[in-house]
PDB file of all heavy atoms in Angstrom:
ATOM      1  N   ASN A 175    -127.506 -39.513 -63.206  1.00 97.00           N
ATOM      2  CA  ASN A 175    -128.280 -40.377 -64.008  1.00 97.00           C
ATOM      3  C   ASN A 175    -129.694 -40.183 -63.772  1.00 97.00           C
ATOM      4  O   ASN A 175    -130.561 -40.190 -64.713  1.00 97.00           O
ATOM      5  CB  ASN A 175    -127.888 -41.912 -63.736  1.00 97.00           C
ATOM      6  CG  ASN A 175    -126.644 -42.415 -64.492  1.00 97.00           C
ATOM      7  OD1 ASN A 175    -125.815 -41.531 -64.953  1.00 97.00           O
ATOM      8  ND2 ASN A 175    -126.507 -43.650 -64.639  1.00 97.00           N
ATOM      9  N   ALA A 176    -130.137 -39.995 -62.506  1.00 97.00           N
ATOM     10  CA  ALA A 176    -131.532 -39.891 -62.125  1.00 97.00           C
ATOM     11  C   ALA A 176    -132.120 -38.625 -62.872  1.00 97.00           C
ATOM     12  O   ALA A 176    -133.183 -38.705 -63.512  1.00 97.00           O
ATOM     13  CB  ALA A 176    -131.698 -39.735 -60.650  1.00 97.00           C
ATOM     14  N   SER A 177    -131.388 -37.502 -62.826  1.00 98.00           N
ATOM     15  CA  SER A 177    -131.852 -36.314 -63.467  1.00 98.00           C
ATOM     16  C   SER A 177    -131.843 -36.432 -64.972  1.00 98.00           C
ATOM     17  O   SER A 177    -132.774 -35.975 -65.677  1.00 98.00           O
ATOM     18  CB  SER A 177    -131.066 -35.099 -63.001  1.00 98.00           C
ATOM     19  OG  SER A 177    -131.267 -34.844 -61.596  1.00 98.00           O
ATOM     20  N   MET A 178    -130.815 -37.032 -65.540  1.00 98.00           N
ATOM     21  CA  MET A 178    -130.759 -37.222 -66.972  1.00 98.00           C
ATOM     22  C   MET A 178    -131.910 -38.042 -67.498  1.00 98.00           C
ATOM     23  O   MET A 178    -132.568 -37.728 -68.485  1.00 98.00           O
ATOM     24  CB  MET A 178    -129.360 -37.804 -67.400  1.00 98.00           C
ATOM     25  CG  MET A 178    -128.195 -36.939 -67.097  1.00 98.00           C
ATOM     26  SD  MET A 178    -127.991 -35.610 -68.393  1.00 98.00           S
ATOM     27  CE  MET A 178    -127.203 -36.602 -69.639  1.00 98.00           C
ATOM     28  N   MET A 179    -132.114 -39.217 -66.870  1.00 98.00           N
ATOM     29  CA  MET A 179    -133.219 -40.103 -67.349  1.00 98.00           C
ATOM     30  C   MET A 179    -134.552 -39.508 -67.062  1.00 98.00           C
ATOM     31  O   MET A 179    -135.483 -39.633 -67.868  1.00 98.00           O
ATOM     32  CB  MET A 179    -133.048 -41.472 -66.625  1.00 98.00           C
ATOM     33  CG  MET A 179    -131.925 -42.328 -67.180  1.00 98.00           C
ATOM     34  SD  MET A 179    -131.876 -44.032 -66.435  1.00 98.00           S
ATOM     35  CE  MET A 179    -130.525 -43.907 -65.381  1.00 98.00           C
ATOM     36  N   ALA A 180    -134.738 -38.833 -65.943  1.00 98.00           N
ATOM     37  CA  ALA A 180    -136.038 -38.153 -65.683  1.00 98.00           C
ATOM     38  C   ALA A 180    -136.327 -37.123 -66.738  1.00 98.00           C
ATOM     39  O   ALA A 180    -137.459 -37.002 -67.202  1.00 98.00           O
ATOM     40  CB  ALA A 180    -136.040 -37.570 -64.237  1.00 98.00           C
ATOM     41  N   LEU A 181    -135.301 -36.237 -67.061  1.00 98.00           N
ATOM     42  CA  LEU A 181    -135.524 -35.210 -68.034  1.00 98.00           C
ATOM     43  C   LEU A 181    -135.841 -35.794 -69.453  1.00 98.00           C
ATOM     44  O   LEU A 181    -136.693 -35.299 -70.156  1.00 98.00           O
ATOM     45  CB  LEU A 181    -134.279 -34.326 -68.107  1.00 98.00           C
ATOM     46  CG  LEU A 181    -134.438 -33.067 -69.017  1.00 98.00           C
ATOM     47  CD1 LEU A 181    -135.532 -32.183 -68.505  1.00 98.00           C
ATOM     48  CD2 LEU A 181    -133.140 -32.248 -69.006  1.00 98.00           C
ATOM     49  N   ALA A 182    -135.136 -36.911 -69.831  1.00 97.00           N
ATOM     50  CA  ALA A 182    -135.353 -37.515 -71.154  1.00 97.00           C
ATOM     51  C   ALA A 182    -136.605 -38.364 -71.147  1.00 97.00           C
ATOM     52  O   ALA A 182    -137.124 -38.729 -72.134  1.00 97.00           O
ATOM     53  CB  ALA A 182    -134.112 -38.316 -71.473  1.00 97.00           C
ATOM     54  N   ARG A 183    -137.063 -38.791 -69.914  1.00 97.00           N
ATOM     55  CA  ARG A 183    -138.177 -39.800 -69.825  1.00 97.00           C
ATOM     56  C   ARG A 183    -137.796 -41.100 -70.507  1.00 97.00           C
ATOM     57  O   ARG A 183    -138.634 -41.732 -71.103  1.00 97.00           O
ATOM     58  CB  ARG A 183    -139.515 -39.228 -70.413  1.00 97.00           C
ATOM     59  CG  ARG A 183    -140.308 -38.329 -69.536  1.00 97.00           C
ATOM     60  CD  ARG A 183    -139.709 -36.949 -69.369  1.00 97.00           C
ATOM     61  NE  ARG A 183    -140.673 -36.099 -68.789  1.00 97.00           N
ATOM     62  CZ  ARG A 183    -140.329 -34.829 -68.374  1.00 97.00           C
ATOM     63  NH1 ARG A 183    -139.102 -34.424 -68.519  1.00 97.00           N
ATOM     64  NH2 ARG A 183    -141.310 -33.972 -67.932  1.00 97.00           N
ATOM     65  N   LEU A 184    -136.562 -41.463 -70.361  1.00 97.00           N
ATOM     66  CA  LEU A 184    -136.054 -42.640 -71.057  1.00 97.00           C
ATOM     67  C   LEU A 184    -135.133 -43.438 -70.191  1.00 97.00           C
ATOM     68  O   LEU A 184    -134.358 -42.791 -69.449  1.00 97.00           O
ATOM     69  CB  LEU A 184    -135.330 -42.292 -72.448  1.00 97.00           C
ATOM     70  CG  LEU A 184    -136.228 -41.764 -73.527  1.00 97.00           C
ATOM     71  CD1 LEU A 184    -135.283 -41.183 -74.636  1.00 97.00           C
ATOM     72  CD2 LEU A 184    -137.160 -42.817 -74.098  1.00 97.00           C
ATOM     73  N   PRO A 185    -135.079 -44.728 -70.399  1.00 96.00           N
ATOM     74  CA  PRO A 185    -134.035 -45.563 -69.590  1.00 96.00           C
ATOM     75  C   PRO A 185    -132.676 -45.317 -70.180  1.00 96.00           C
ATOM     76  O   PRO A 185    -132.460 -44.772 -71.233  1.00 96.00           O
ATOM     77  CB  PRO A 185    -134.560 -46.975 -69.822  1.00 96.00           C
ATOM     78  CG  PRO A 185    -135.317 -46.931 -71.103  1.00 96.00           C
ATOM     79  CD  PRO A 185    -135.927 -45.598 -71.172  1.00 96.00           C
ATOM     80  N   ILE A 186    -131.681 -45.919 -69.478  1.00 96.00           N
ATOM     81  CA  ILE A 186    -130.243 -45.682 -69.760  1.00 96.00           C
ATOM     82  C   ILE A 186    -129.849 -46.118 -71.112  1.00 96.00           C
ATOM     83  O   ILE A 186    -129.041 -45.478 -71.803  1.00 96.00           O
ATOM     84  CB  ILE A 186    -129.351 -46.321 -68.703  1.00 96.00           C
ATOM     85  CG1 ILE A 186    -127.910 -45.900 -68.869  1.00 96.00           C
ATOM     86  CG2 ILE A 186    -129.468 -47.897 -68.803  1.00 96.00           C
ATOM     87  CD1 ILE A 186    -127.670 -44.448 -68.538  1.00 96.00           C
ATOM     88  N   GLY A 187    -130.461 -47.194 -71.689  1.00 95.00           N
ATOM     89  CA  GLY A 187    -130.046 -47.679 -72.984  1.00 95.00           C
ATOM     90  C   GLY A 187    -130.303 -46.700 -74.117  1.00 95.00           C
ATOM     91  O   GLY A 187    -129.626 -46.873 -75.174  1.00 95.00           O
ATOM     92  N   HIS A 188    -131.199 -45.781 -73.992  1.00 96.00           N
ATOM     93  CA  HIS A 188    -131.515 -44.782 -75.050  1.00 96.00           C
ATOM     94  C   HIS A 188    -130.568 -43.555 -74.921  1.00 96.00           C
ATOM     95  O   HIS A 188    -130.604 -42.753 -75.829  1.00 96.00           O
ATOM     96  CB  HIS A 188    -132.939 -44.291 -74.938  1.00 96.00           C
ATOM     97  CG  HIS A 188    -133.952 -45.294 -75.341  1.00 96.00           C
ATOM     98  ND1 HIS A 188    -134.478 -45.435 -76.587  1.00 96.00           N
ATOM     99  CD2 HIS A 188    -134.504 -46.328 -74.598  1.00 96.00           C
ATOM    100  CE1 HIS A 188    -135.302 -46.384 -76.668  1.00 96.00           C
ATOM    101  NE2 HIS A 188    -135.420 -47.012 -75.446  1.00 96.00           N
ATOM    102  N   LEU A 189    -129.765 -43.487 -73.847  1.00 96.00           N
ATOM    103  CA  LEU A 189    -129.006 -42.335 -73.606  1.00 96.00           C
ATOM    104  C   LEU A 189    -127.457 -42.511 -73.640  1.00 96.00           C
ATOM    105  O   LEU A 189    -126.688 -41.681 -74.049  1.00 96.00           O
ATOM    106  CB  LEU A 189    -129.364 -41.710 -72.282  1.00 96.00           C
ATOM    107  CG  LEU A 189    -130.861 -41.405 -72.073  1.00 96.00           C
ATOM    108  CD1 LEU A 189    -131.107 -40.928 -70.585  1.00 96.00           C
ATOM    109  CD2 LEU A 189    -131.406 -40.477 -73.016  1.00 96.00           C
ATOM    110  N   ARG A 190    -127.023 -43.670 -73.117  1.00 94.00           N
ATOM    111  CA  ARG A 190    -125.616 -43.815 -72.831  1.00 94.00           C
ATOM    112  C   ARG A 190    -124.694 -43.863 -73.991  1.00 94.00           C
ATOM    113  O   ARG A 190    -123.617 -43.487 -73.910  1.00 94.00           O
ATOM    114  CB  ARG A 190    -125.377 -45.129 -71.975  1.00 94.00           C
ATOM    115  CG  ARG A 190    -125.805 -46.396 -72.694  1.00 94.00           C
ATOM    116  CD  ARG A 190    -125.729 -47.594 -71.781  1.00 94.00           C
ATOM    117  NE  ARG A 190    -126.197 -48.840 -72.418  1.00 94.00           N
ATOM    118  CZ  ARG A 190    -126.513 -49.950 -71.819  1.00 94.00           C
ATOM    119  NH1 ARG A 190    -126.325 -50.034 -70.432  1.00 94.00           N
ATOM    120  NH2 ARG A 190    -126.960 -51.015 -72.418  1.00 94.00           N
ATOM    121  N   ASP A 191    -125.152 -44.281 -75.167  1.00 90.00           N
ATOM    122  CA  ASP A 191    -124.406 -44.364 -76.405  1.00 90.00           C
ATOM    123  C   ASP A 191    -124.641 -43.242 -77.364  1.00 90.00           C
ATOM    124  O   ASP A 191    -124.009 -43.302 -78.468  1.00 90.00           O
ATOM    125  CB  ASP A 191    -124.589 -45.728 -77.067  1.00 90.00           C
ATOM    126  CG  ASP A 191    -124.199 -46.897 -76.178  1.00 90.00           C
ATOM    127  OD1 ASP A 191    -123.215 -46.846 -75.431  1.00 90.00           O
ATOM    128  OD2 ASP A 191    -124.927 -47.917 -76.214  1.00 90.00           O
ATOM    129  N   ASP A 192    -125.385 -42.253 -76.999  1.00 95.00           N
ATOM    130  CA  ASP A 192    -125.751 -41.167 -77.883  1.00 95.00           C
ATOM    131  C   ASP A 192    -124.543 -40.126 -77.837  1.00 95.00           C
ATOM    132  O   ASP A 192    -124.338 -39.582 -76.771  1.00 95.00           O
ATOM    133  CB  ASP A 192    -127.068 -40.533 -77.548  1.00 95.00           C
ATOM    134  CG  ASP A 192    -127.450 -39.491 -78.524  1.00 95.00           C
ATOM    135  OD1 ASP A 192    -126.630 -38.691 -79.019  1.00 95.00           O
ATOM    136  OD2 ASP A 192    -128.702 -39.469 -78.893  1.00 95.00           O
ATOM    137  N   PRO A 193    -123.835 -39.922 -78.899  1.00 96.00           N
ATOM    138  CA  PRO A 193    -122.632 -39.033 -78.855  1.00 96.00           C
ATOM    139  C   PRO A 193    -123.030 -37.553 -78.496  1.00 96.00           C
ATOM    140  O   PRO A 193    -122.184 -36.852 -78.005  1.00 96.00           O
ATOM    141  CB  PRO A 193    -121.999 -39.171 -80.262  1.00 96.00           C
ATOM    142  CG  PRO A 193    -123.166 -39.594 -81.078  1.00 96.00           C
ATOM    143  CD  PRO A 193    -124.065 -40.503 -80.269  1.00 96.00           C
ATOM    144  N   ASP A 194    -124.299 -37.235 -78.720  1.00 97.00           N
ATOM    145  CA  ASP A 194    -124.703 -35.868 -78.403  1.00 97.00           C
ATOM    146  C   ASP A 194    -125.018 -35.741 -76.907  1.00 97.00           C
ATOM    147  O   ASP A 194    -124.960 -34.619 -76.335  1.00 97.00           O
ATOM    148  CB  ASP A 194    -125.963 -35.465 -79.184  1.00 97.00           C
ATOM    149  CG  ASP A 194    -125.643 -35.282 -80.655  1.00 97.00           C
ATOM    150  OD1 ASP A 194    -124.516 -34.767 -81.026  1.00 97.00           O
ATOM    151  OD2 ASP A 194    -126.477 -35.729 -81.517  1.00 97.00           O
ATOM    152  N   ILE A 195    -125.376 -36.885 -76.216  1.00 96.00           N
ATOM    153  CA  ILE A 195    -125.761 -36.783 -74.815  1.00 96.00           C
ATOM    154  C   ILE A 195    -124.601 -37.189 -73.948  1.00 96.00           C
ATOM    155  O   ILE A 195    -124.516 -36.652 -72.791  1.00 96.00           O
ATOM    156  CB  ILE A 195    -126.874 -37.820 -74.573  1.00 96.00           C
ATOM    157  CG1 ILE A 195    -128.122 -37.392 -75.371  1.00 96.00           C
ATOM    158  CG2 ILE A 195    -127.216 -37.945 -73.103  1.00 96.00           C
ATOM    159  CD1 ILE A 195    -129.328 -38.378 -75.309  1.00 96.00           C
ATOM    160  N   ALA A 196    -123.612 -38.032 -74.390  1.00 94.00           N
ATOM    161  CA  ALA A 196    -122.522 -38.525 -73.591  1.00 94.00           C
ATOM    162  C   ALA A 196    -121.771 -37.387 -72.847  1.00 94.00           C
ATOM    163  O   ALA A 196    -121.425 -37.611 -71.674  1.00 94.00           O
ATOM    164  CB  ALA A 196    -121.650 -39.378 -74.422  1.00 94.00           C
ATOM    165  N   PRO A 197    -121.452 -36.346 -73.470  1.00 96.00           N
ATOM    166  CA  PRO A 197    -120.636 -35.288 -72.819  1.00 96.00           C
ATOM    167  C   PRO A 197    -121.386 -34.622 -71.661  1.00 96.00           C
ATOM    168  O   PRO A 197    -120.750 -34.231 -70.611  1.00 96.00           O
ATOM    169  CB  PRO A 197    -120.463 -34.192 -73.882  1.00 96.00           C
ATOM    170  CG  PRO A 197    -120.662 -34.870 -75.160  1.00 96.00           C
ATOM    171  CD  PRO A 197    -121.627 -35.960 -74.920  1.00 96.00           C
ATOM    172  N   TYR A 198    -122.746 -34.723 -71.595  1.00 97.00           N
ATOM    173  CA  TYR A 198    -123.497 -34.123 -70.497  1.00 97.00           C
ATOM    174  C   TYR A 198    -123.419 -35.057 -69.243  1.00 97.00           C
ATOM    175  O   TYR A 198    -123.474 -34.636 -68.125  1.00 97.00           O
ATOM    176  CB  TYR A 198    -124.932 -33.810 -70.934  1.00 97.00           C
ATOM    177  CG  TYR A 198    -125.025 -32.751 -71.883  1.00 97.00           C
ATOM    178  CD1 TYR A 198    -125.144 -33.057 -73.235  1.00 97.00           C
ATOM    179  CD2 TYR A 198    -124.830 -31.402 -71.517  1.00 97.00           C
ATOM    180  CE1 TYR A 198    -125.108 -31.986 -74.227  1.00 97.00           C
ATOM    181  CE2 TYR A 198    -124.851 -30.397 -72.426  1.00 97.00           C
ATOM    182  CZ  TYR A 198    -125.005 -30.697 -73.826  1.00 97.00           C
ATOM    183  OH  TYR A 198    -124.989 -29.670 -74.767  1.00 97.00           O
ATOM    184  N   PHE A 199    -123.396 -36.386 -69.520  1.00 97.00           N
ATOM    185  CA  PHE A 199    -123.166 -37.312 -68.408  1.00 97.00           C
ATOM    186  C   PHE A 199    -121.828 -37.024 -67.766  1.00 97.00           C
ATOM    187  O   PHE A 199    -121.736 -36.969 -66.530  1.00 97.00           O
ATOM    188  CB  PHE A 199    -123.155 -38.782 -68.964  1.00 97.00           C
ATOM    189  CG  PHE A 199    -124.557 -39.411 -69.055  1.00 97.00           C
ATOM    190  CD1 PHE A 199    -125.087 -39.628 -70.264  1.00 97.00           C
ATOM    191  CD2 PHE A 199    -125.286 -39.785 -67.906  1.00 97.00           C
ATOM    192  CE1 PHE A 199    -126.340 -40.283 -70.438  1.00 97.00           C
ATOM    193  CE2 PHE A 199    -126.524 -40.446 -68.030  1.00 97.00           C
ATOM    194  CZ  PHE A 199    -127.048 -40.623 -69.312  1.00 97.00           C
ATOM    195  N   ILE A 200    -120.790 -36.997 -68.596  1.00 97.00           N
ATOM    196  CA  ILE A 200    -119.438 -36.683 -68.058  1.00 97.00           C
ATOM    197  C   ILE A 200    -119.372 -35.449 -67.252  1.00 97.00           C
ATOM    198  O   ILE A 200    -118.776 -35.354 -66.219  1.00 97.00           O
ATOM    199  CB  ILE A 200    -118.378 -36.722 -69.201  1.00 97.00           C
ATOM    200  CG1 ILE A 200    -118.357 -38.130 -69.784  1.00 97.00           C
ATOM    201  CG2 ILE A 200    -117.007 -36.333 -68.678  1.00 97.00           C
ATOM    202  CD1 ILE A 200    -117.538 -38.272 -71.035  1.00 97.00           C
ATOM    203  N   ALA A 201    -119.905 -34.344 -67.799  1.00 98.00           N
ATOM    204  CA  ALA A 201    -119.972 -33.031 -67.112  1.00 98.00           C
ATOM    205  C   ALA A 201    -120.628 -33.087 -65.822  1.00 98.00           C
ATOM    206  O   ALA A 201    -120.239 -32.548 -64.826  1.00 98.00           O
ATOM    207  CB  ALA A 201    -120.596 -32.004 -68.041  1.00 98.00           C
ATOM    208  N   ALA A 202    -121.816 -33.815 -65.780  1.00 98.00           N
ATOM    209  CA  ALA A 202    -122.607 -33.977 -64.561  1.00 98.00           C
ATOM    210  C   ALA A 202    -121.730 -34.751 -63.544  1.00 98.00           C
ATOM    211  O   ALA A 202    -121.750 -34.383 -62.353  1.00 98.00           O
ATOM    212  CB  ALA A 202    -123.891 -34.597 -64.815  1.00 98.00           C
ATOM    213  N   TYR A 203    -121.123 -35.847 -63.899  1.00 98.00           N
ATOM    214  CA  TYR A 203    -120.363 -36.639 -62.982  1.00 98.00           C
ATOM    215  C   TYR A 203    -119.193 -35.765 -62.373  1.00 98.00           C
ATOM    216  O   TYR A 203    -118.921 -35.808 -61.219  1.00 98.00           O
ATOM    217  CB  TYR A 203    -119.727 -37.899 -63.676  1.00 98.00           C
ATOM    218  CG  TYR A 203    -120.722 -38.877 -64.252  1.00 98.00           C
ATOM    219  CD1 TYR A 203    -120.419 -39.672 -65.333  1.00 98.00           C
ATOM    220  CD2 TYR A 203    -121.978 -38.994 -63.691  1.00 98.00           C
ATOM    221  CE1 TYR A 203    -121.300 -40.577 -65.825  1.00 98.00           C
ATOM    222  CE2 TYR A 203    -122.921 -39.933 -64.237  1.00 98.00           C
ATOM    223  CZ  TYR A 203    -122.532 -40.738 -65.232  1.00 98.00           C
ATOM    224  OH  TYR A 203    -123.450 -41.618 -65.738  1.00 98.00           O
ATOM    225  N   GLN A 204    -118.563 -35.022 -63.297  1.00 98.00           N
ATOM    226  CA  GLN A 204    -117.322 -34.257 -62.794  1.00 98.00           C
ATOM    227  C   GLN A 204    -117.807 -33.201 -61.842  1.00 98.00           C
ATOM    228  O   GLN A 204    -117.039 -32.914 -60.877  1.00 98.00           O
ATOM    229  CB  GLN A 204    -116.684 -33.650 -63.978  1.00 98.00           C
ATOM    230  CG  GLN A 204    -115.252 -32.992 -63.616  1.00 98.00           C
ATOM    231  CD  GLN A 204    -114.327 -34.032 -63.134  1.00 98.00           C
ATOM    232  OE1 GLN A 204    -114.103 -35.077 -63.796  1.00 98.00           O
ATOM    233  NE2 GLN A 204    -113.781 -33.805 -61.838  1.00 98.00           N
ATOM    234  N   GLU A 205    -118.924 -32.603 -62.040  1.00 98.00           N
ATOM    235  CA  GLU A 205    -119.447 -31.625 -61.043  1.00 98.00           C
ATOM    236  C   GLU A 205    -119.633 -32.184 -59.683  1.00 98.00           C
ATOM    237  O   GLU A 205    -119.290 -31.542 -58.710  1.00 98.00           O
ATOM    238  CB  GLU A 205    -120.735 -30.968 -61.534  1.00 98.00           C
ATOM    239  CG  GLU A 205    -120.582 -30.033 -62.747  1.00 98.00           C
ATOM    240  CD  GLU A 205    -121.845 -29.426 -63.280  1.00 98.00           C
ATOM    241  OE1 GLU A 205    -122.912 -29.648 -62.641  1.00 98.00           O
ATOM    242  OE2 GLU A 205    -121.802 -28.937 -64.412  1.00 98.00           O
ATOM    243  N   VAL A 206    -120.246 -33.393 -59.610  1.00 98.00           N
ATOM    244  CA  VAL A 206    -120.423 -34.056 -58.312  1.00 98.00           C
ATOM    245  C   VAL A 206    -119.067 -34.404 -57.689  1.00 98.00           C
ATOM    246  O   VAL A 206    -118.873 -34.196 -56.498  1.00 98.00           O
ATOM    247  CB  VAL A 206    -121.329 -35.312 -58.476  1.00 98.00           C
ATOM    248  CG1 VAL A 206    -121.554 -35.893 -57.063  1.00 98.00           C
ATOM    249  CG2 VAL A 206    -122.646 -35.002 -59.191  1.00 98.00           C
ATOM    250  N   ILE A 207    -118.128 -34.842 -58.504  1.00 98.00           N
ATOM    251  CA  ILE A 207    -116.745 -35.172 -57.982  1.00 98.00           C
ATOM    252  C   ILE A 207    -116.143 -33.894 -57.392  1.00 98.00           C
ATOM    253  O   ILE A 207    -115.548 -34.032 -56.305  1.00 98.00           O
ATOM    254  CB  ILE A 207    -115.887 -35.749 -59.088  1.00 98.00           C
ATOM    255  CG1 ILE A 207    -116.459 -37.188 -59.453  1.00 98.00           C
ATOM    256  CG2 ILE A 207    -114.425 -35.854 -58.692  1.00 98.00           C
ATOM    257  CD1 ILE A 207    -115.915 -37.736 -60.784  1.00 98.00           C
ATOM    258  N   ASP A 208    -116.163 -32.829 -58.109  1.00 98.00           N
ATOM    259  CA  ASP A 208    -115.626 -31.544 -57.679  1.00 98.00           C
ATOM    260  C   ASP A 208    -116.192 -31.105 -56.413  1.00 98.00           C
ATOM    261  O   ASP A 208    -115.520 -30.674 -55.447  1.00 98.00           O
ATOM    262  CB  ASP A 208    -115.719 -30.490 -58.751  1.00 98.00           C
ATOM    263  CG  ASP A 208    -114.939 -30.782 -59.988  1.00 98.00           C
ATOM    264  OD1 ASP A 208    -114.008 -31.674 -59.971  1.00 98.00           O
ATOM    265  OD2 ASP A 208    -115.185 -30.204 -61.012  1.00 98.00           O
ATOM    266  N   VAL A 209    -117.555 -31.269 -56.225  1.00 98.00           N
ATOM    267  CA  VAL A 209    -118.222 -30.819 -55.017  1.00 98.00           C
ATOM    268  C   VAL A 209    -117.821 -31.739 -53.875  1.00 98.00           C
ATOM    269  O   VAL A 209    -117.603 -31.328 -52.755  1.00 98.00           O
ATOM    270  CB  VAL A 209    -119.739 -30.801 -55.303  1.00 98.00           C
ATOM    271  CG1 VAL A 209    -120.551 -30.755 -54.016  1.00 98.00           C
ATOM    272  CG2 VAL A 209    -120.162 -29.668 -56.163  1.00 98.00           C
ATOM    273  N   GLY A 210    -117.751 -33.046 -54.114  1.00 98.00           N
ATOM    274  CA  GLY A 210    -117.420 -34.018 -53.124  1.00 98.00           C
ATOM    275  C   GLY A 210    -115.976 -33.797 -52.615  1.00 98.00           C
ATOM    276  O   GLY A 210    -115.770 -33.724 -51.318  1.00 98.00           O
ATOM    277  N   ARG A 211    -115.029 -33.542 -53.414  1.00 98.00           N
ATOM    278  CA  ARG A 211    -113.629 -33.268 -53.025  1.00 98.00           C
ATOM    279  C   ARG A 211    -113.598 -31.965 -52.268  1.00 98.00           C
ATOM    280  O   ARG A 211    -112.878 -31.887 -51.270  1.00 98.00           O
ATOM    281  CB  ARG A 211    -112.731 -33.289 -54.216  1.00 98.00           C
ATOM    282  CG  ARG A 211    -112.506 -34.638 -54.826  1.00 98.00           C
ATOM    283  CD  ARG A 211    -111.612 -34.653 -56.028  1.00 98.00           C
ATOM    284  NE  ARG A 211    -111.397 -36.001 -56.493  1.00 98.00           N
ATOM    285  CZ  ARG A 211    -111.157 -36.337 -57.769  1.00 98.00           C
ATOM    286  NH1 ARG A 211    -111.136 -35.363 -58.706  1.00 98.00           N
ATOM    287  NH2 ARG A 211    -110.874 -37.617 -58.096  1.00 98.00           N
ATOM    288  N   ALA A 212    -114.351 -30.968 -52.628  1.00 98.00           N
ATOM    289  CA  ALA A 212    -114.407 -29.703 -51.901  1.00 98.00           C
ATOM    290  C   ALA A 212    -114.988 -29.951 -50.496  1.00 98.00           C
ATOM    291  O   ALA A 212    -114.751 -29.156 -49.641  1.00 98.00           O
ATOM    292  CB  ALA A 212    -115.203 -28.714 -52.694  1.00 98.00           C
ATOM    293  N   SER A 213    -115.877 -30.922 -50.410  1.00 97.00           N
ATOM    294  CA  SER A 213    -116.516 -31.242 -49.084  1.00 97.00           C
ATOM    295  C   SER A 213    -115.612 -32.065 -48.184  1.00 97.00           C
ATOM    296  O   SER A 213    -116.054 -32.504 -47.179  1.00 97.00           O
ATOM    297  CB  SER A 213    -117.794 -31.961 -49.387  1.00 97.00           C
ATOM    298  OG  SER A 213    -118.759 -31.167 -50.133  1.00 97.00           O
ATOM    299  N   GLY A 214    -114.376 -32.495 -48.736  1.00 97.00           N
ATOM    300  CA  GLY A 214    -113.507 -33.235 -47.916  1.00 97.00           C
ATOM    301  C   GLY A 214    -113.606 -34.724 -48.121  1.00 97.00           C
ATOM    302  O   GLY A 214    -113.027 -35.485 -47.272  1.00 97.00           O
ATOM    303  N   ILE A 215    -114.273 -35.187 -49.181  1.00 97.00           N
ATOM    304  CA  ILE A 215    -114.420 -36.616 -49.415  1.00 97.00           C
ATOM    305  C   ILE A 215    -113.302 -37.127 -50.295  1.00 97.00           C
ATOM    306  O   ILE A 215    -112.959 -36.508 -51.275  1.00 97.00           O
ATOM    307  CB  ILE A 215    -115.825 -36.900 -50.086  1.00 97.00           C
ATOM    308  CG1 ILE A 215    -116.994 -36.293 -49.156  1.00 97.00           C
ATOM    309  CG2 ILE A 215    -115.961 -38.339 -50.214  1.00 97.00           C
ATOM    310  CD1 ILE A 215    -117.124 -36.866 -47.785  1.00 97.00           C
ATOM    311  N   ALA A 216    -112.710 -38.293 -49.940  1.00 96.00           N
ATOM    312  CA  ALA A 216    -111.688 -38.946 -50.712  1.00 96.00           C
ATOM    313  C   ALA A 216    -112.402 -39.620 -51.879  1.00 96.00           C
ATOM    314  O   ALA A 216    -112.959 -40.651 -51.660  1.00 96.00           O
ATOM    315  CB  ALA A 216    -110.881 -39.834 -49.888  1.00 96.00           C
ATOM    316  N   ILE A 217    -112.256 -39.106 -53.042  1.00 97.00           N
ATOM    317  CA  ILE A 217    -112.897 -39.643 -54.263  1.00 97.00           C
ATOM    318  C   ILE A 217    -111.786 -40.143 -55.159  1.00 97.00           C
ATOM    319  O   ILE A 217    -110.860 -39.377 -55.526  1.00 97.00           O
ATOM    320  CB  ILE A 217    -113.755 -38.683 -54.968  1.00 97.00           C
ATOM    321  CG1 ILE A 217    -114.956 -38.365 -53.993  1.00 97.00           C
ATOM    322  CG2 ILE A 217    -114.329 -39.218 -56.258  1.00 97.00           C
ATOM    323  CD1 ILE A 217    -115.973 -37.309 -54.534  1.00 97.00           C
ATOM    324  N   PRO A 218    -111.814 -41.360 -55.652  1.00 97.00           N
ATOM    325  CA  PRO A 218    -110.749 -41.995 -56.419  1.00 97.00           C
ATOM    326  C   PRO A 218    -110.498 -41.162 -57.752  1.00 97.00           C
ATOM    327  O   PRO A 218    -111.483 -40.523 -58.241  1.00 97.00           O
ATOM    328  CB  PRO A 218    -111.314 -43.385 -56.802  1.00 97.00           C
ATOM    329  CG  PRO A 218    -112.194 -43.700 -55.763  1.00 97.00           C
ATOM    330  CD  PRO A 218    -112.849 -42.348 -55.316  1.00 97.00           C
ATOM    331  N   ALA A 219    -109.276 -41.204 -58.217  1.00 97.00           N
ATOM    332  CA  ALA A 219    -108.964 -40.406 -59.448  1.00 97.00           C
ATOM    333  C   ALA A 219    -109.681 -40.951 -60.648  1.00 97.00           C
ATOM    334  O   ALA A 219    -109.885 -40.189 -61.594  1.00 97.00           O
ATOM    335  CB  ALA A 219    -107.479 -40.485 -59.636  1.00 97.00           C
TER     336      ALA A 219
END
């Protein structure tokens, strides 16, 4: 979220419901999850 909002220069309300932006939030979240699990962290499904 920090990087997405900083790059857009906009708060969450301008970004979270935009169908063109939403997939990038999900992709960014999944990358962190994958890295965390690879680091040995128990992250919920």
Side-chain angles (χ1 to χ4, degrees):
N175 279 20
S177 292
M178 293 281 283
M179 284 187 251
L181 186 57
R183 276 73 165 173
L184 290 169
I186 190 66
H188 289 267
L189 307 176
R190 63 187 173 194
D191 298 323
D192 188 316
D194 293 320
I195 297 174
Y198 294 99
F199 275 109
I200 294 171
Y203 298 153
Q204 191 62 55
E205 288 175 12
V206 184
I207 292 167
D208 292 344
V209 167
R211 288 177 177 152
S213 301
I215 306 299
I217 295 177

